[in-house]
Amino acid sequence: MEFPISIREAQASDLDQIYLIIEKNADSCRIISKEMIEKRIRNHAGTFLLASLEEQVIGFIIGADLTETSSKDSAFDIDFIHSISRVPIIILSLMIHPDYRGQGFGTLLLAALKESSRLTNKSGLYLPCPDEMLSYFEMNAFIEHGFAESENSGDPYFHMHWDNPYYQEEI
């Protein structure tokens, strides 16, 4: 069976559908405000990607370019992230509507962000990963680089990164 899936950049008109997915995932994460999502659509357009099935948004991935993010603007230790890798894009969120989980849509979104990284010559991707998702991201070619606890929530996570094999450092 073939699905008419499309992967595209998020737009302001997608806000309600994105927020529905966030609300459906509220049991496993903190609620992100609509204002925060609007800001991320504006500021991270090239790395805020949606998976849609017949015009219905079924999942999204949000990345942020760390070369454009200061330590003051981020909840993450950017200096540490750069010390384990030259990875400039951090994955802030990956969510799939519960009705569509386990069908490969998260993997498609990760692949699309990896391709975006390749096309824009970014060195790779970084994400803080909870223990229960470790094998999923390892299956998607991310490498674990240590364990930490979030200063904000106290929740433990693993430092994960994926290196872009096509990255060409500027001379």
Side-chain angles (χ1 to χ4, degrees), residues 110-121:
L110 283 169
L113 192 57
K114 288 175 182 178
E115 180 64 7
S116 174
S117 175
R118 185 189 72 77
L119 292 172
T120 57
N121 197 38

Side-chain angles (χ1 to χ4, degrees), residues 57-97:
V57 177
I58 58 172
F60 63 86
I61 190 167
I62 305 171
D65 189 333
L66 289 179
T67 59
E68 299 170 2
T69 304
S70 75
S71 296
K72 291 181 263 183
D73 297 332
S74 177
F76 301 101
D77 183 348
I78 292 172
D79 293 331
F80 175 79
I81 295 167
H82 286 300
S83 75
I84 62 170
S85 179
R86 299 169 307 195
V87 177
I89 296 175
I90 184 170
I91 297 174
L92 301 172
S93 188
L94 171 62
M95 288 190 194
I96 305 298
H97 189 287

Side-chain angles (χ1 to χ4, degrees), residues 14-140:
D14 299 314
L15 183 62
D16 289 336
Q17 290 188 61
I18 292 167
Y19 205 71
L20 175 66
I21 293 170
I22 292 169
E23 288 175 332
K24 294 281 186 183
N25 283 283
D27 59 327
S28 63
C29 67
R30 64 175 171 47
I31 293 290
I32 303 167
S33 71
K34 281 190 174 184
E35 292 79 22
M36 179 66 76
I37 295 300
E38 285 177 317
K39 182 178 177 183
R40 288 181 177 171
I41 290 171
R42 280 193 312 273
N43 296 340
H44 307 296
T47 54
F48 191 149
L49 305 176
L50 304 177
S52 51
L53 177 64
E54 297 176 352
E55 303 302 316
Q56 178 186 348
V57 177
I58 58 172
F60 63 86
I61 190 167
I62 305 171
D65 189 333
L66 289 179
T67 59
E68 299 170 2
T69 304
S70 75
S71 296
K72 291 181 263 183
D73 297 332
S74 177
F76 301 101
D77 183 348
I78 292 172
D79 293 331
F80 175 79
I81 295 167
H82 286 300
S83 75
I84 62 170
S85 179
R86 299 169 307 195
V87 177
I89 296 175
I90 184 170
I91 297 174
L92 301 172
S93 188
L94 171 62
M95 288 190 194
I96 305 298
H97 189 287
D99 294 345
Y100 296 95
R101 288 189 192 146
Q103 299 177 45
F105 299 119
T107 298
L108 285 173
L109 285 164
L110 283 169
L113 192 57
K114 288 175 182 178
E115 180 64 7
S116 174
S117 175
R118 185 189 72 77
L119 292 172
T120 57
N121 197 38
K122 301 294 183 186
S123 60
L125 308 173
Y126 166 85
L127 71 111
C129 175
D131 185 43
E132 64 271 10
M133 297 299 294
L134 188 61
S135 63
Y136 174 78
F137 286 105
E138 287 177 334
M139 176 188 75
N140 281 285

